[in-house]
Amino acid sequence: MSSYNIALNFEDGVTRFIECKAGEKVLDAAFRARINLPMDCSDGVCGTCKCRAESGSYDLGEDYIEDALSEDEKDSGLVLTCQMVPQSDCVIAIPASSTVCKTGQSTFAATVTKVEQHNDAAVVLELAVDAAGPVFLPGQYVNIDVPGSGQNRSYSFSSAPGDSTISFLIKKIPGGVMSTWLEAAQPGTKLDLTGPLGSFYLRDVQRPLLFLAGGTGLAPFLSMLEVLARTNSQQKVHLIYGVTRDLDLVLVEAIEAYAAKLPNFTYATVIADAQSSHPRKGWVTQHIPADALNDGDVDVYLCGPPPMVDAVRKYFDDEGVKPNSFYYEKFTPNVVQKAA
Ligand SMILES: Cc1cc2nc3c(=O)[nH]c(=O)nc-3n(C[C@H](O)[C@H](O)[C@H](O)COP(=O)(O)OP(=O)(O)OC[C@H]3O[C@@H](n4cnc5c(N)ncnc54)[C@H](O)[C@@H]3O)c2cc1C
Ligand code: FES
């Protein structure tokens, strides 16, 4: 391979992808891409360029001093970008905002290809991107400008990175800005998107995964499952998909398809409505099998509306459940401006 794809995640949630040539240091590759990562000496002496490598393999070089990066820091995944030479695609968390690093969000254009209604509860929106398929980390989101409204809304990709058709799973909110636009949206309409964004993304898969989805919070997990399927993952993955009403249960056939593609993937659907005849009722937390927690040696990913995310986090705290790692995304609604 002659180059690697490096995701730089800034602390304001912006992600920029840069190409790092074989043998090239991350700091130099970022500079080529006109991104000024924190640095001072560029010689492995000051430690100013210290960042966290979240995934990937790399050579840290030998030309730095212990004061700049200690053994413990190195063992905990910290790196010096002025020394680090990637040996695979990598994800690096930058402890500075994108603005400080003189960069910002990427924007791109896309064209509506499909608007598919599901049970009057949700919509699958498919877009063809005008250039190469956007790169993002599975689980991340974009902001989509809602035509004619002067507003945008955030949506998690439900498709896999790099595809030239991207998709989203969007809950229908009566009277909502995006929801109302979607009612009459037609194929061929151009949209402007900003992103990728967010720190909710699939990390290196090293242990069993537990995915907890609330409603359209299923979207990022579809992206993650597609990536796991494409990389022939053999890891144990359990998804619990909870919704409020029977009609909110959408895309179960898409999940079922992953049960066929991924040898160690299992899932369960749960409906909160007490009137439902569904076999599993209540909250996702009532349906977590003990073996899915694997005595704590599990990475938990949680996504959904804020009350659901807060309830699950409280449940884990109350029950003393301490997974190896715990990542969550809240689908926080925008503050809607009221007319004066
Ligand atoms: C990081 C992130 C990722 C997101 N990803 C997704 C996604 O993949 N799929 C998805 O469906 N949504 C997602 N959302 C939520 C999405 O951005 C919008 O808030 C949502 O789609 C409502 O937009 P709207 O324009 O239709 O309604 P708005 O015009 O924003 O809201 C209309 C009214 O409905 C209320 N409202 C908004 N959302 C809800 C709700 N869920 N339940 C009840 N009342 C509500 C608002 O407070 C307001 O009063 C995400 C949010 C964030 C922050
Ligand atoms: S910039 Fe000084 S150690 Fe990297």
Side-chain angles (χ1 to χ4, degrees), residues 192-246:
D192 292 319
L193 293 83
T194 306
L197 294 155
S199 52
F200 183 74
Y201 52 83
L202 188 63
R203 305 317 203 262
D204 262 356
V205 181
Q206 294 171 346
R207 56 183 61 76
L209 303 172
L210 175 61
F211 291 168
L212 302 173
T216 50
L218 177 67
F221 295 115
L222 294 174
S223 181
M224 295 182 191
L225 287 168
E226 183 58 27
V227 167
L228 291 171
R230 288 184 190 179
T231 51
N232 294 319
S233 174
Q234 305 292 306
Q235 191 54 265
K236 223 175 133 187
V237 184
H238 188 62
L239 163 72
I240 308 179
Y241 171 32
V243 298
T244 310
R245 309 160 298 174
D246 288 309

Side-chain angles (χ1 to χ4, degrees), residues 37-80:
L37 294 183
M39 61 82 78
D40 190 1
C41 68
S42 83
D43 262 339
V45 174
C46 68
T48 310
C49 65
K50 204 177 294 169
C51 292
R52 181 168 297 285
E54 295 195 323
S55 69
S57 54
Y58 47 85
D59 183 357
L60 257 185
E62 284 162 14
D63 292 339
Y64 64 87
I65 61 167
E66 169 86 10
D67 271 1
L69 186 74
S70 68
E71 272 304 297
D72 285 353
E73 288 176 323
K74 183 179 127 185
D75 292 347
S76 74
L78 291 175
V79 295
L80 299 174

